[in-house]
Amino acid sequence: MRRKRMSVIATILLVVMFINTAYTEMKTESVKDRIVNAQAEGNSVLVVAYDSESEKKKEVMNMVLAVAKESKGVSVVGLDVSKNENEDLVGEYSLKRVPMPVVLIIDKHGLLVGGLTSVQVNEKRLKTNLPTPCYSDLLKNIHDDKATIVVAYTNGMEEKEKAIALSKDANEKLGHKSGLIELDVNDEDEKNFVDILRVNGIAKSTILVINSQGQLTGRFMSDSSIDEIREAALRVVRSGCGCG
């Protein structure tokens, strides 16, 4: 009986220690840690930056939380710019002279891809500006000075596998100078990216080439050659529009 009672007490102590440890870790987790942890899970991050005098802080935060709830792979983090512990982030995101509150949009790779002031922010703009997973990969390639080969298709589409194989071969031939993105145009999570590339109504699998400047330099079908795709990927356009 005594041994059983000691076992119960020991179990209770272990539970208490676990709760205290978890609480301490949660309490000491920095804003930077929350951002990094969200990205480690493959999420984009909406950072709501504010100070003690931000009148619209609650309104903006509620709006951002509502958008995150409706979106896939989105985390929300609050950033009090008036706290000394957040000084590095204030400098990193150039927030010293920015009217508060402001919403920063950071993609899954940690790139700052946009920002909205309290005057600009609304649910529609937040949803439009949130980068899709594939769009984030494109932005990362551009950031790394790489071209991007996008093969757009739908499941069951004619010559899908041939287009993907050709794109992979071309990407391999380009080595470290390019990245490959496979885009299902019917994927709801990629709707914004599909709209940007204007591949909504394609009848056949299509290969798009975007150079390291973010400019659309070629559009090909599955019967194109590797050399054509490679040439488009390496092409430098002196002027003109980007991929959008």
Side-chain angles (χ1 to χ4, degrees), residues 33 58 62 100-101 107 132 170 186 189 196 201 220 225 243:
D33 288 338
K58 187 175 181 180
N62 287 339
M100 295 291 147
D107 80 352
T132 71
N186 286 337
D189 294 331
I196 289 171
F220 306 94
S225 71
C243 66

Side-chain angles (χ1 to χ4, degrees), residues 3-21:
R3 186 174 298 174
K4 186 176 180 181
R5 187 182 303 154
M6 292 296 291
S7 177
V8 171
I9 292 171
T11 302
I12 293 171
L13 287 172
L14 284 172
V15 170
V16 171
M17 287 173 63
F18 174 80
I19 292 173
N20 285 339
T21 302

Side-chain angles (χ1 to χ4, degrees), residues 93-123:
Y93 299 133
S94 303
L95 295 172
K96 285 186 178 179
R97 292 178 178 82
V98 178
M100 295 291 147
V102 64
V103 181
L104 305 177
I105 303 169
I106 302 174
D107 80 352
K108 65 178 183 177
H109 297 295
L111 299 176
L112 178 60
V113 297
L116 297 168
T117 66
S118 59
V119 176
Q120 298 170 321
V121 69
N122 57 51
E123 291 192 17

Side-chain angles (χ1 to χ4, degrees), residues 17-220:
M17 287 173 63
F18 174 80
I19 292 173
N20 285 339
T21 302
Y23 175 76
T24 301
E25 289 177 354
M26 182 173 65
K27 188 177 179 181
T28 58
E29 187 180 41
S30 68
V31 175
K32 183 69 173 179
D33 288 338
R34 293 189 204 114
I35 294 173
V36 170
N37 290 340
Q39 289 161 358
E41 295 173 1
N43 290 351
S44 293
V45 185
L46 294 174
V47 178
V48 181
Y50 59 90
D51 58 25
S52 56
E53 299 178 1
S54 302
E55 295 181 2
K56 290 188 173 182
K57 177 183 76 172
K58 187 175 181 180
E59 177 187 340
V60 170
M61 179 61 84
N62 287 339
M63 190 185 306
V64 170
L65 287 170
V67 169
K69 187 176 181 180
E70 295 175 11
S71 306
K72 185 178 178 181
V74 179
S75 298
V76 178
V77 175
L79 171 61
D80 187 344
V81 300
S82 60
K83 288 187 175 180
N84 292 334
E85 64 201 54
N86 295 326
E87 189 175 352
D88 288 347
L89 287 177
V90 171
E92 181 179 342
Y93 299 133
S94 303
L95 295 172
K96 285 186 178 179
R97 292 178 178 82
V98 178
M100 295 291 147
V102 64
V103 181
L104 305 177
I105 303 169
I106 302 174
D107 80 352
K108 65 178 183 177
H109 297 295
L111 299 176
L112 178 60
V113 297
L116 297 168
T117 66
S118 59
V119 176
Q120 298 170 321
V121 69
N122 57 51
E123 291 192 17
K124 184 178 180 180
R125 277 183 178 160
L126 280 170
K127 290 176 182 177
T128 302
N129 283 277
L130 270 172
T132 71
C134 285
Y135 191 27
S136 288
D137 291 339
L138 170 62
L139 295 174
K140 181 68 165 58
N141 286 339
I142 295 171
H143 178 268
D144 293 341
D145 198 29
K146 290 182 178 182
T148 305
I149 300 170
V150 181
V151 53
Y153 61 86
T154 63
N155 288 322
M157 183 171 277
E158 184 180 349
E159 299 185 337
K160 167 193 165 186
E161 298 304 326
K162 187 177 177 182
I164 291 175
L166 174 62
S167 299
K168 286 181 176 178
D169 289 343
N171 185 59
E172 187 175 337
K173 190 167 184 178
L174 282 159
H176 65 281
K177 296 178 182 178
S178 70
L180 175 66
I181 294 175
E182 296 182 22
L183 176 66
D184 182 349
V185 299
N186 286 337
D187 185 347
E188 282 298 317
D189 294 331
E190 295 294 343
K191 185 180 183 306
N192 287 348
F193 190 40
V194 169
D195 290 342
I196 289 171
L197 294 181
R198 299 172 187 169
V199 289
N200 318 60
I202 57 173
K204 292 184 178 181
S205 300
T206 303
I207 300 166
L208 298 96
V209 180
I210 300 162
N211 69 9
S212 60
Q213 299 167 288
Q215 297 163 318
L216 180 63
T217 51
R219 192 178 181 108
F220 306 94

